[in-house]
Amino acid sequence: MLRVEHVMGFPVSVRVDEGAAEPEAAADAVFAWLRQADARFSPFKPDSEVSRLDRGEVPADEISPDLLEILTLCEDYRVATRGAFDVRLPGRGLDPCAVVKGWSVQKAADLLAAAGATRFCVNAGGDVVVSGGPWRVGVRHPEHADRLCTVLDLTEGAVATSARYERGDHILDGRTGRPVRGLLSLTVAAASLTEADATATAAFAMGTEGIEWAASREGCEVFAVDEGQRVLRTAGFPVAA
Amino acid sequence: MKRALPVLALTAAAVIPLWRYEPSLGSTSTEAAPAPTPSSPPASSSDGTVTRTVQGSTVTTEKGPVQVEVTFEGDRISSVRMLKQPHHPQTTAAVPKLVEETLSEQSADVDTVSGATVTSDGYKESLQAAIDAKGGA
């Protein structure tokens, strides 16, 4: 079963090969959840919980547990990156997108597992969660859209890539407020997409020093391409044979 | 003027990931926010904005007890911080040795592509679209 729908402004591919009795229903639940997450947590929708909170319209005791979880994750990463990753850049509204994407797609993958799926692959705008591998996950070449720069062999887990080619000017270093320089792309493989996506985004926001930062995070394997087209990766990065 | 008034219980279930990095997190002071906090826009305390601090109940996670605290300026969250965290030894994780390679270009057969596209606009021409077009199995 393969379904592709566009949610949150990016394409989401859900492929279920084995395990779920009703894969179509499981996919329905996945897309329903992602639409709900978009409606609730998008800073671009004026009536989302995030926008209302940012305008001071949500009383402190009415913030949903989900949003508190997201805000707590955001704060974790802000502190862990010493301010490079910040959802509250000066002069801009609250924007927890970088955490919301990975977090909500991981929860979507958890829905598939809960529906019994044992072999599946979710790709949400280039962020990947797989289960029941072997899966071969390519990483887009930072300069040639139709090429790969490496391939991972994964049984279970998540892969996220932050790159200049599509978000260069959208990732700002919270310490300077300026677009990040130094890296062309940075890929993180981890057990969950919550971790992989936020770590990739946060590390990218730190520039070249983000490579070592991400590499030292427990459970994260890193593949980075710097502006000099040099690859730096962790030894444990699961490169396919 | 800054006042504090506790309000609600916070659920901090999934806060597990990354404590080993921030030795400063043990602090419970709410006023002395760490320097890099650019917090809200030009919000001022002189206009009567009330700062409230809310402490959650302690939640037991698989890694130990966790408690978070949220500070509001007016009704905006200005910070979320960890009051209680699992007692990990500060594994100042040595940075793993990185492998250096030359960037290569491949066109291998893969099941899916990370970083293929971030936006719906770019999807049609992407590798991922080509893979999806081939179908599921």
Side-chain angles (χ1 to χ4, degrees), chain A residues 1-7 10-16 27 30-31 34 105 112 120-129, chain B residues 111-113 117 123 126 128-129 131-133:
Chain A
M1 195 274 316
L2 173 74
R3 288 255 297 270
V4 183
E5 294 188 17
H6 293 256
V7 194
F10 47 79
V12 179
S13 310
V14 174
R15 172 177 162 185
V16 177
V30 160
F31 289 113
L34 291 174
V105 173
L112 290 177
F120 63 80
C121 172
V122 176
N123 187 322
D127 285 352
V128 174
V129 184
Chain B
D111 296 305
T112 194
V113 180
T117 178
Y123 175 69
S126 72
Q128 183 61 38
I131 291 167
D132 289 338

PDB file of all heavy atoms in Angstrom, chain A residues 1-7 10-16 27 30-31 34 105 112 120-129, chain B residues 111-113 117 123 126 128-129 131-133:
ATOM      1  N   MET A   1       0.840  -1.185   0.000  1.00  0.00           N
ATOM      2  CA  MET A   1       0.000   0.000   0.000  1.00  0.00           C
ATOM      3  C   MET A   1       0.888   1.252   0.000  1.00  0.00           C
ATOM      4  O   MET A   1       1.805   1.360   0.802  1.00  0.00           O
ATOM      5  CB  MET A   1      -0.855  -0.007   1.283  1.00  0.00           C
ATOM      6  CG  MET A   1      -2.025   0.949   1.298  1.00  0.00           C
ATOM      7  SD  MET A   1      -1.646   2.641   1.837  1.00  0.00           S
ATOM      8  CE  MET A   1      -0.619   2.399   3.267  1.00  0.00           C
ATOM      9  N   LEU A   2       0.631   2.129  -0.930  1.00  0.00           N
ATOM     10  CA  LEU A   2       1.392   3.385  -0.991  1.00  0.00           C
ATOM     11  C   LEU A   2       0.432   4.545  -1.175  1.00  0.00           C
ATOM     12  O   LEU A   2      -0.439   4.511  -2.045  1.00  0.00           O
ATOM     13  CB  LEU A   2       2.380   3.360  -2.158  1.00  0.00           C
ATOM     14  CG  LEU A   2       3.097   4.692  -2.415  1.00  0.00           C
ATOM     15  CD1 LEU A   2       4.146   4.962  -1.354  1.00  0.00           C
ATOM     16  CD2 LEU A   2       3.731   4.706  -3.795  1.00  0.00           C
ATOM     17  N   ARG A   3       0.569   5.541  -0.324  1.00  0.00           N
ATOM     18  CA  ARG A   3      -0.262   6.743  -0.472  1.00  0.00           C
ATOM     19  C   ARG A   3       0.631   7.972  -0.396  1.00  0.00           C
ATOM     20  O   ARG A   3       1.554   8.039   0.407  1.00  0.00           O
ATOM     21  CB  ARG A   3      -1.274   6.823   0.679  1.00  0.00           C
ATOM     22  CG  ARG A   3      -2.392   5.806   0.600  1.00  0.00           C
ATOM     23  CD  ARG A   3      -3.713   6.464   0.162  1.00  0.00           C
ATOM     24  NE  ARG A   3      -4.188   7.459   1.114  1.00  0.00           N
ATOM     25  CZ  ARG A   3      -5.008   7.175   2.135  1.00  0.00           C
ATOM     26  NH1 ARG A   3      -5.412   5.938   2.353  1.00  0.00           N
ATOM     27  NH2 ARG A   3      -5.409   8.140   2.931  1.00  0.00           N
ATOM     28  N   VAL A   4       0.347   8.955  -1.235  1.00  0.00           N
ATOM     29  CA  VAL A   4       1.062  10.225  -1.172  1.00  0.00           C
ATOM     30  C   VAL A   4       0.039  11.344  -1.051  1.00  0.00           C
ATOM     31  O   VAL A   4      -0.885  11.431  -1.861  1.00  0.00           O
ATOM     32  CB  VAL A   4       1.920  10.472  -2.435  1.00  0.00           C
ATOM     33  CG1 VAL A   4       2.704  11.775  -2.291  1.00  0.00           C
ATOM     34  CG2 VAL A   4       2.862   9.304  -2.685  1.00  0.00           C
ATOM     35  N   GLU A   5       0.151  12.151  -0.019  1.00  0.00           N
ATOM     36  CA  GLU A   5      -0.717  13.324   0.122  1.00  0.00           C
ATOM     37  C   GLU A   5       0.140  14.506   0.556  1.00  0.00           C
ATOM     38  O   GLU A   5       1.236  14.335   1.087  1.00  0.00           O
ATOM     39  CB  GLU A   5      -1.825  13.059   1.143  1.00  0.00           C
ATOM     40  CG  GLU A   5      -2.796  11.982   0.684  1.00  0.00           C
ATOM     41  CD  GLU A   5      -4.013  11.842   1.578  1.00  0.00           C
ATOM     42  OE1 GLU A   5      -4.300  12.767   2.363  1.00  0.00           O
ATOM     43  OE2 GLU A   5      -4.668  10.778   1.494  1.00  0.00           O
ATOM     44  N   HIS A   6      -0.388  15.682   0.319  1.00  0.00           N
ATOM     45  CA  HIS A   6       0.354  16.887   0.699  1.00  0.00           C
ATOM     46  C   HIS A   6      -0.251  17.488   1.964  1.00  0.00           C
ATOM     47  O   HIS A   6      -1.420  17.820   2.006  1.00  0.00           O
ATOM     48  CB  HIS A   6       0.344  17.897  -0.452  1.00  0.00           C
ATOM     49  CG  HIS A   6       1.119  17.401  -1.637  1.00  0.00           C
ATOM     50  ND1 HIS A   6       2.377  17.866  -1.954  1.00  0.00           N
ATOM     51  CD2 HIS A   6       0.832  16.440  -2.557  1.00  0.00           C
ATOM     52  CE1 HIS A   6       2.822  17.217  -3.025  1.00  0.00           C
ATOM     53  NE2 HIS A   6       1.897  16.356  -3.414  1.00  0.00           N
ATOM     54  N   VAL A   7       0.569  17.560   2.983  1.00  0.00           N
ATOM     55  CA  VAL A   7       0.139  18.095   4.273  1.00  0.00           C
ATOM     56  C   VAL A   7       1.234  19.028   4.780  1.00  0.00           C
ATOM     57  O   VAL A   7       2.411  18.767   4.549  1.00  0.00           O
ATOM     58  CB  VAL A   7      -0.040  16.963   5.323  1.00  0.00           C
ATOM     59  CG1 VAL A   7      -0.813  17.465   6.530  1.00  0.00           C
ATOM     60  CG2 VAL A   7      -0.727  15.755   4.723  1.00  0.00           C
ATOM     61  N   PHE A  10       4.198  20.051   2.517  1.00  0.00           N
ATOM     62  CA  PHE A  10       5.147  19.144   1.881  1.00  0.00           C
ATOM     63  C   PHE A  10       4.476  17.804   1.592  1.00  0.00           C
ATOM     64  O   PHE A  10       3.438  17.481   2.166  1.00  0.00           O
ATOM     65  CB  PHE A  10       6.417  18.967   2.721  1.00  0.00           C
ATOM     66  CG  PHE A  10       6.174  18.701   4.188  1.00  0.00           C
ATOM     67  CD1 PHE A  10       5.808  17.447   4.633  1.00  0.00           C
ATOM     68  CD2 PHE A  10       6.326  19.721   5.118  1.00  0.00           C
ATOM     69  CE1 PHE A  10       5.606  17.205   5.979  1.00  0.00           C
ATOM     70  CE2 PHE A  10       6.116  19.481   6.470  1.00  0.00           C
ATOM     71  CZ  PHE A  10       5.750  18.222   6.896  1.00  0.00           C
ATOM     72  N   PRO A  11       5.076  17.041   0.653  1.00  0.00           N
ATOM     73  CA  PRO A  11       4.489  15.747   0.305  1.00  0.00           C
ATOM     74  C   PRO A  11       4.809  14.701   1.367  1.00  0.00           C
ATOM     75  O   PRO A  11       5.930  14.670   1.885  1.00  0.00           O
ATOM     76  CB  PRO A  11       5.180  15.398  -1.015  1.00  0.00           C
ATOM     77  CG  PRO A  11       6.492  16.109  -0.940  1.00  0.00           C
ATOM     78  CD  PRO A  11       6.284  17.347  -0.120  1.00  0.00           C
ATOM     79  N   VAL A  12       3.833  13.867   1.667  1.00  0.00           N
ATOM     80  CA  VAL A  12       4.046  12.797   2.631  1.00  0.00           C
ATOM     81  C   VAL A  12       3.724  11.470   1.945  1.00  0.00           C
ATOM     82  O   VAL A  12       2.604  11.264   1.483  1.00  0.00           O
ATOM     83  CB  VAL A  12       3.150  12.965   3.870  1.00  0.00           C
ATOM     84  CG1 VAL A  12       3.386  11.819   4.859  1.00  0.00           C
ATOM     85  CG2 VAL A  12       3.400  14.313   4.547  1.00  0.00           C
ATOM     86  N   SER A  13       4.731  10.599   1.865  1.00  0.00           N
ATOM     87  CA  SER A  13       4.535   9.265   1.280  1.00  0.00           C
ATOM     88  C   SER A  13       4.449   8.250   2.408  1.00  0.00           C
ATOM     89  O   SER A  13       5.329   8.212   3.267  1.00  0.00           O
ATOM     90  CB  SER A  13       5.716   8.885   0.380  1.00  0.00           C
ATOM     91  OG  SER A  13       6.002   9.918  -0.533  1.00  0.00           O
ATOM     92  N   VAL A  14       3.398   7.454   2.385  1.00  0.00           N
ATOM     93  CA  VAL A  14       3.249   6.405   3.399  1.00  0.00           C
ATOM     94  C   VAL A  14       3.190   5.065   2.679  1.00  0.00           C
ATOM     95  O   VAL A  14       2.305   4.835   1.853  1.00  0.00           O
ATOM     96  CB  VAL A  14       1.965   6.609   4.227  1.00  0.00           C
ATOM     97  CG1 VAL A  14       1.752   5.426   5.173  1.00  0.00           C
ATOM     98  CG2 VAL A  14       2.034   7.903   5.017  1.00  0.00           C
ATOM     99  N   ARG A  15       4.139   4.231   2.965  1.00  0.00           N
ATOM    100  CA  ARG A  15       4.184   2.917   2.333  1.00  0.00           C
ATOM    101  C   ARG A  15       4.124   1.850   3.424  1.00  0.00           C
ATOM    102  O   ARG A  15       4.944   1.854   4.347  1.00  0.00           O
ATOM    103  CB  ARG A  15       5.479   2.788   1.529  1.00  0.00           C
ATOM    104  CG  ARG A  15       5.729   1.405   0.992  1.00  0.00           C
ATOM    105  CD  ARG A  15       7.006   1.392   0.153  1.00  0.00           C
ATOM    106  NE  ARG A  15       7.469   0.011   0.006  1.00  0.00           N
ATOM    107  CZ  ARG A  15       8.613  -0.325  -0.587  1.00  0.00           C
ATOM    108  NH1 ARG A  15       9.397   0.606  -1.080  1.00  0.00           N
ATOM    109  NH2 ARG A  15       8.967  -1.598  -0.678  1.00  0.00           N
ATOM    110  N   VAL A  16       3.136   0.977   3.342  1.00  0.00           N
ATOM    111  CA  VAL A  16       3.011  -0.115   4.307  1.00  0.00           C
ATOM    112  C   VAL A  16       3.072  -1.426   3.543  1.00  0.00           C
ATOM    113  O   VAL A  16       2.246  -1.684   2.668  1.00  0.00           O
ATOM    114  CB  VAL A  16       1.680  -0.034   5.095  1.00  0.00           C
ATOM    115  CG1 VAL A  16       1.559  -1.227   6.043  1.00  0.00           C
ATOM    116  CG2 VAL A  16       1.591   1.269   5.871  1.00  0.00           C
ATOM    117  N   ALA A  27      -3.377   4.423   7.087  1.00  0.00           N
ATOM    118  CA  ALA A  27      -2.886   5.604   6.375  1.00  0.00           C
ATOM    119  C   ALA A  27      -3.845   6.776   6.561  1.00  0.00           C
ATOM    120  O   ALA A  27      -3.416   7.918   6.730  1.00  0.00           O
ATOM    121  CB  ALA A  27      -2.705   5.285   4.885  1.00  0.00           C
ATOM    122  N   VAL A  30      -3.062   8.320   9.755  1.00  0.00           N
ATOM    123  CA  VAL A  30      -1.814   9.076   9.671  1.00  0.00           C
ATOM    124  C   VAL A  30      -2.063  10.468   9.099  1.00  0.00           C
ATOM    125  O   VAL A  30      -1.641  11.485   9.665  1.00  0.00           O
ATOM    126  CB  VAL A  30      -0.772   8.322   8.809  1.00  0.00           C
ATOM    127  CG1 VAL A  30       0.308   9.268   8.310  1.00  0.00           C
ATOM    128  CG2 VAL A  30      -0.156   7.193   9.614  1.00  0.00           C
ATOM    129  N   PHE A  31      -2.789  10.510   7.969  1.00  0.00           N
ATOM    130  CA  PHE A  31      -3.004  11.822   7.334  1.00  0.00           C
ATOM    131  C   PHE A  31      -3.941  12.696   8.162  1.00  0.00           C
ATOM    132  O   PHE A  31      -3.774  13.918   8.210  1.00  0.00           O
ATOM    133  CB  PHE A  31      -3.499  11.640   5.898  1.00  0.00           C
ATOM    134  CG  PHE A  31      -2.428  11.129   4.982  1.00  0.00           C
ATOM    135  CD1 PHE A  31      -2.507   9.858   4.423  1.00  0.00           C
ATOM    136  CD2 PHE A  31      -1.306  11.904   4.704  1.00  0.00           C
ATOM    137  CE1 PHE A  31      -1.506   9.378   3.589  1.00  0.00           C
ATOM    138  CE2 PHE A  31      -0.292  11.437   3.881  1.00  0.00           C
ATOM    139  CZ  PHE A  31      -0.391  10.169   3.320  1.00  0.00           C
ATOM    140  N   LEU A  34      -1.783  14.200  10.854  1.00  0.00           N
ATOM    141  CA  LEU A  34      -0.884  15.256  10.371  1.00  0.00           C
ATOM    142  C   LEU A  34      -1.653  16.532  10.062  1.00  0.00           C
ATOM    143  O   LEU A  34      -1.176  17.639  10.320  1.00  0.00           O
ATOM    144  CB  LEU A  34      -0.117  14.772   9.131  1.00  0.00           C
ATOM    145  CG  LEU A  34       0.918  13.677   9.406  1.00  0.00           C
ATOM    146  CD1 LEU A  34       1.527  13.165   8.102  1.00  0.00           C
ATOM    147  CD2 LEU A  34       2.019  14.185  10.341  1.00  0.00           C
ATOM    148  N   VAL A 105       5.502  13.751  12.701  1.00  0.00           N
ATOM    149  CA  VAL A 105       5.674  12.641  11.756  1.00  0.00           C
ATOM    150  C   VAL A 105       6.079  11.366  12.512  1.00  0.00           C
ATOM    151  O   VAL A 105       5.646  10.270  12.162  1.00  0.00           O
ATOM    152  CB  VAL A 105       6.696  13.003  10.666  1.00  0.00           C
ATOM    153  CG1 VAL A 105       7.003  11.798   9.785  1.00  0.00           C
ATOM    154  CG2 VAL A 105       6.168  14.161   9.820  1.00  0.00           C
ATOM    155  N   LEU A 112       1.078   3.966  12.731  1.00  0.00           N
ATOM    156  CA  LEU A 112       1.167   2.804  11.831  1.00  0.00           C
ATOM    157  C   LEU A 112       1.561   1.552  12.619  1.00  0.00           C
ATOM    158  O   LEU A 112       0.980   0.485  12.437  1.00  0.00           O
ATOM    159  CB  LEU A 112       2.197   3.062  10.727  1.00  0.00           C
ATOM    160  CG  LEU A 112       1.850   4.103   9.672  1.00  0.00           C
ATOM    161  CD1 LEU A 112       3.027   4.266   8.712  1.00  0.00           C
ATOM    162  CD2 LEU A 112       0.586   3.706   8.910  1.00  0.00           C
ATOM    163  N   PHE A 120       7.175  -0.754   7.244  1.00  0.00           N
ATOM    164  CA  PHE A 120       6.644   0.453   6.626  1.00  0.00           C
ATOM    165  C   PHE A 120       7.722   1.512   6.471  1.00  0.00           C
ATOM    166  O   PHE A 120       8.793   1.434   7.087  1.00  0.00           O
ATOM    167  CB  PHE A 120       5.457   1.007   7.422  1.00  0.00           C
ATOM    168  CG  PHE A 120       5.777   1.452   8.825  1.00  0.00           C
ATOM    169  CD1 PHE A 120       6.362   2.693   9.074  1.00  0.00           C
ATOM    170  CD2 PHE A 120       5.485   0.627   9.919  1.00  0.00           C
ATOM    171  CE1 PHE A 120       6.652   3.100  10.374  1.00  0.00           C
ATOM    172  CE2 PHE A 120       5.780   1.037  11.222  1.00  0.00           C
ATOM    173  CZ  PHE A 120       6.362   2.282  11.455  1.00  0.00           C
ATOM    174  N   CYS A 121       7.385   2.498   5.632  1.00  0.00           N
ATOM    175  CA  CYS A 121       8.303   3.605   5.371  1.00  0.00           C
ATOM    176  C   CYS A 121       7.468   4.874   5.203  1.00  0.00           C
ATOM    177  O   CYS A 121       6.532   4.899   4.411  1.00  0.00           O
ATOM    178  CB  CYS A 121       9.092   3.314   4.093  1.00  0.00           C
ATOM    179  SG  CYS A 121      10.098   4.715   3.522  1.00  0.00           S
ATOM    180  N   VAL A 122       7.798   5.885   5.976  1.00  0.00           N
ATOM    181  CA  VAL A 122       7.121   7.175   5.857  1.00  0.00           C
ATOM    182  C   VAL A 122       8.164   8.207   5.438  1.00  0.00           C
ATOM    183  O   VAL A 122       9.238   8.282   6.036  1.00  0.00           O
ATOM    184  CB  VAL A 122       6.498   7.603   7.207  1.00  0.00           C
ATOM    185  CG1 VAL A 122       5.873   8.996   7.093  1.00  0.00           C
ATOM    186  CG2 VAL A 122       5.463   6.585   7.672  1.00  0.00           C
ATOM    187  N   ASN A 123       7.848   8.968   4.392  1.00  0.00           N
ATOM    188  CA  ASN A 123       8.748  10.056   3.984  1.00  0.00           C
ATOM    189  C   ASN A 123       7.937  11.337   3.955  1.00  0.00           C
ATOM    190  O   ASN A 123       7.008  11.493   3.174  1.00  0.00           O
ATOM    191  CB  ASN A 123       9.344   9.767   2.596  1.00  0.00           C
ATOM    192  CG  ASN A 123      10.414  10.793   2.229  1.00  0.00           C
ATOM    193  OD1 ASN A 123      10.287  11.988   2.531  1.00  0.00           O
ATOM    194  ND2 ASN A 123      11.467  10.339   1.591  1.00  0.00           N
ATOM    195  N   ALA A 124       8.260  12.238   4.851  1.00  0.00           N
ATOM    196  CA  ALA A 124       7.513  13.496   4.954  1.00  0.00           C
ATOM    197  C   ALA A 124       8.444  14.635   4.581  1.00  0.00           C
ATOM    198  O   ALA A 124       9.274  15.061   5.381  1.00  0.00           O
ATOM    199  CB  ALA A 124       6.979  13.679   6.373  1.00  0.00           C
ATOM    200  N   GLY A 125       8.308  15.110   3.365  1.00  0.00           N
ATOM    201  CA  GLY A 125       9.152  16.222   2.929  1.00  0.00           C
ATOM    202  C   GLY A 125      10.633  15.961   3.128  1.00  0.00           C
ATOM    203  O   GLY A 125      11.385  16.857   3.496  1.00  0.00           O
ATOM    204  N   GLY A 126      11.055  14.740   2.877  1.00  0.00           N
ATOM    205  CA  GLY A 126      12.471  14.420   2.990  1.00  0.00           C
ATOM    206  C   GLY A 126      12.911  13.906   4.345  1.00  0.00           C
ATOM    207  O   GLY A 126      14.068  13.549   4.532  1.00  0.00           O
ATOM    208  N   ASP A 127      12.002  13.870   5.292  1.00  0.00           N
ATOM    209  CA  ASP A 127      12.292  13.255   6.589  1.00  0.00           C
ATOM    210  C   ASP A 127      11.692  11.854   6.595  1.00  0.00           C
ATOM    211  O   ASP A 127      10.544  11.676   6.202  1.00  0.00           O
ATOM    212  CB  ASP A 127      11.676  14.076   7.727  1.00  0.00           C
ATOM    213  CG  ASP A 127      12.462  15.352   7.999  1.00  0.00           C
ATOM    214  OD1 ASP A 127      13.547  15.510   7.414  1.00  0.00           O
ATOM    215  OD2 ASP A 127      11.982  16.179   8.786  1.00  0.00           O
ATOM    216  N   VAL A 128      12.479  10.896   7.066  1.00  0.00           N
ATOM    217  CA  VAL A 128      12.129   9.499   6.856  1.00  0.00           C
ATOM    218  C   VAL A 128      12.030   8.730   8.173  1.00  0.00           C
ATOM    219  O   VAL A 128      12.875   8.893   9.051  1.00  0.00           O
ATOM    220  CB  VAL A 128      13.205   8.829   5.959  1.00  0.00           C
ATOM    221  CG1 VAL A 128      12.971   7.338   5.835  1.00  0.00           C
ATOM    222  CG2 VAL A 128      13.252   9.501   4.585  1.00  0.00           C
ATOM    223  N   VAL A 129      10.987   7.905   8.283  1.00  0.00           N
ATOM    224  CA  VAL A 129      10.918   6.924   9.372  1.00  0.00           C
ATOM    225  C   VAL A 129      10.680   5.556   8.745  1.00  0.00           C
ATOM    226  O   VAL A 129       9.779   5.416   7.910  1.00  0.00           O
ATOM    227  CB  VAL A 129       9.755   7.199  10.354  1.00  0.00           C
ATOM    228  CG1 VAL A 129       9.793   6.203  11.517  1.00  0.00           C
ATOM    229  CG2 VAL A 129       9.800   8.620  10.892  1.00  0.00           C
TER     230      VAL A 129
ATOM    231  N   ASP B 111      14.949   2.896  -1.613  1.00  0.00           N
ATOM    232  CA  ASP B 111      13.528   2.823  -1.299  1.00  0.00           C
ATOM    233  C   ASP B 111      12.926   4.200  -1.060  1.00  0.00           C
ATOM    234  O   ASP B 111      11.744   4.423  -1.272  1.00  0.00           O
ATOM    235  CB  ASP B 111      13.313   1.969  -0.030  1.00  0.00           C
ATOM    236  CG  ASP B 111      13.736   0.538  -0.239  1.00  0.00           C
ATOM    237  OD1 ASP B 111      13.235  -0.085  -1.192  1.00  0.00           O
ATOM    238  OD2 ASP B 111      14.587   0.042   0.529  1.00  0.00           O
ATOM    239  N   THR B 112      13.758   5.113  -0.571  1.00  0.00           N
ATOM    240  CA  THR B 112      13.257   6.443  -0.255  1.00  0.00           C
ATOM    241  C   THR B 112      14.443   7.399  -0.159  1.00  0.00           C
ATOM    242  O   THR B 112      15.591   6.956  -0.094  1.00  0.00           O
ATOM    243  CB  THR B 112      12.436   6.404   1.063  1.00  0.00           C
ATOM    244  OG1 THR B 112      11.688   7.598   1.208  1.00  0.00           O
ATOM    245  CG2 THR B 112      13.346   6.229   2.267  1.00  0.00           C
ATOM    246  N   VAL B 113      14.179   8.687  -0.168  1.00  0.00           N
ATOM    247  CA  VAL B 113      15.266   9.664  -0.170  1.00  0.00           C
ATOM    248  C   VAL B 113      15.072  10.699   0.933  1.00  0.00           C
ATOM    249  O   VAL B 113      14.020  11.333   1.030  1.00  0.00           O
ATOM    250  CB  VAL B 113      15.354  10.399  -1.530  1.00  0.00           C
ATOM    251  CG1 VAL B 113      16.492  11.418  -1.500  1.00  0.00           C
ATOM    252  CG2 VAL B 113      15.566   9.408  -2.657  1.00  0.00           C
ATOM    253  N   THR B 117      13.072  16.554  -0.894  1.00  0.00           N
ATOM    254  CA  THR B 117      12.350  17.795  -1.120  1.00  0.00           C
ATOM    255  C   THR B 117      11.709  18.216   0.175  1.00  0.00           C
ATOM    256  O   THR B 117      11.298  17.396   0.972  1.00  0.00           O
ATOM    257  CB  THR B 117      11.266  17.644  -2.200  1.00  0.00           C
ATOM    258  OG1 THR B 117      10.586  18.878  -2.309  1.00  0.00           O
ATOM    259  CG2 THR B 117      10.275  16.563  -1.830  1.00  0.00           C
ATOM    260  N   TYR B 123       8.255  18.809  -5.380  1.00  0.00           N
ATOM    261  CA  TYR B 123       8.074  17.355  -5.323  1.00  0.00           C
ATOM    262  C   TYR B 123       8.102  16.695  -6.692  1.00  0.00           C
ATOM    263  O   TYR B 123       8.763  15.685  -6.890  1.00  0.00           O
ATOM    264  CB  TYR B 123       6.771  17.038  -4.594  1.00  0.00           C
ATOM    265  CG  TYR B 123       6.408  15.578  -4.571  1.00  0.00           C
ATOM    266  CD1 TYR B 123       7.155  14.675  -3.820  1.00  0.00           C
ATOM    267  CD2 TYR B 123       5.326  15.086  -5.300  1.00  0.00           C
ATOM    268  CE1 TYR B 123       6.834  13.330  -3.792  1.00  0.00           C
ATOM    269  CE2 TYR B 123       4.989  13.753  -5.277  1.00  0.00           C
ATOM    270  CZ  TYR B 123       5.737  12.872  -4.525  1.00  0.00           C
ATOM    271  OH  TYR B 123       5.410  11.555  -4.511  1.00  0.00           O
ATOM    272  N   SER B 126      11.223  15.588  -8.058  1.00  0.00           N
ATOM    273  CA  SER B 126      12.167  14.993  -7.110  1.00  0.00           C
ATOM    274  C   SER B 126      12.338  13.494  -7.327  1.00  0.00           C
ATOM    275  O   SER B 126      11.499  12.819  -7.920  1.00  0.00           O
ATOM    276  CB  SER B 126      11.689  15.240  -5.679  1.00  0.00           C
ATOM    277  OG  SER B 126      10.560  14.441  -5.395  1.00  0.00           O
ATOM    278  N   GLN B 128      12.136  11.412  -4.983  1.00  0.00           N
ATOM    279  CA  GLN B 128      11.114  10.734  -4.199  1.00  0.00           C
ATOM    280  C   GLN B 128       9.845  10.542  -5.026  1.00  0.00           C
ATOM    281  O   GLN B 128       9.189   9.508  -4.946  1.00  0.00           O
ATOM    282  CB  GLN B 128      10.804  11.534  -2.924  1.00  0.00           C
ATOM    283  CG  GLN B 128       9.797  10.866  -1.999  1.00  0.00           C
ATOM    284  CD  GLN B 128      10.283   9.505  -1.481  1.00  0.00           C
ATOM    285  OE1 GLN B 128      11.465   9.329  -1.182  1.00  0.00           O
ATOM    286  NE2 GLN B 128       9.378   8.539  -1.391  1.00  0.00           N
ATOM    287  N   ALA B 129       9.494  11.524  -5.832  1.00  0.00           N
ATOM    288  CA  ALA B 129       8.310  11.393  -6.677  1.00  0.00           C
ATOM    289  C   ALA B 129       8.484  10.240  -7.657  1.00  0.00           C
ATOM    290  O   ALA B 129       7.546   9.481  -7.924  1.00  0.00           O
ATOM    291  CB  ALA B 129       8.045  12.698  -7.423  1.00  0.00           C
ATOM    292  N   ILE B 131      10.305   7.633  -7.171  1.00  0.00           N
ATOM    293  CA  ILE B 131      10.200   6.389  -6.406  1.00  0.00           C
ATOM    294  C   ILE B 131       8.737   6.088  -6.108  1.00  0.00           C
ATOM    295  O   ILE B 131       8.268   4.960  -6.267  1.00  0.00           O
ATOM    296  CB  ILE B 131      11.008   6.507  -5.091  1.00  0.00           C
ATOM    297  CG1 ILE B 131      12.496   6.553  -5.412  1.00  0.00           C
ATOM    298  CG2 ILE B 131      10.686   5.349  -4.159  1.00  0.00           C
ATOM    299  CD1 ILE B 131      13.360   6.981  -4.243  1.00  0.00           C
ATOM    300  N   ASP B 132       7.991   7.105  -5.701  1.00  0.00           N
ATOM    301  CA  ASP B 132       6.567   6.906  -5.399  1.00  0.00           C
ATOM    302  C   ASP B 132       5.816   6.447  -6.651  1.00  0.00           C
ATOM    303  O   ASP B 132       4.903   5.634  -6.578  1.00  0.00           O
ATOM    304  CB  ASP B 132       5.948   8.203  -4.866  1.00  0.00           C
ATOM    305  CG  ASP B 132       6.441   8.541  -3.459  1.00  0.00           C
ATOM    306  OD1 ASP B 132       6.891   7.608  -2.759  1.00  0.00           O
ATOM    307  OD2 ASP B 132       6.378   9.717  -3.075  1.00  0.00           O
ATOM    308  N   ALA B 133       6.201   6.984  -7.800  1.00  0.00           N
ATOM    309  CA  ALA B 133       5.508   6.650  -9.039  1.00  0.00           C
ATOM    310  C   ALA B 133       5.678   5.168  -9.396  1.00  0.00           C
ATOM    311  O   ALA B 133       4.832   4.577 -10.061  1.00  0.00           O
ATOM    312  CB  ALA B 133       6.008   7.534 -10.173  1.00  0.00           C
TER     313      ALA B 133
END
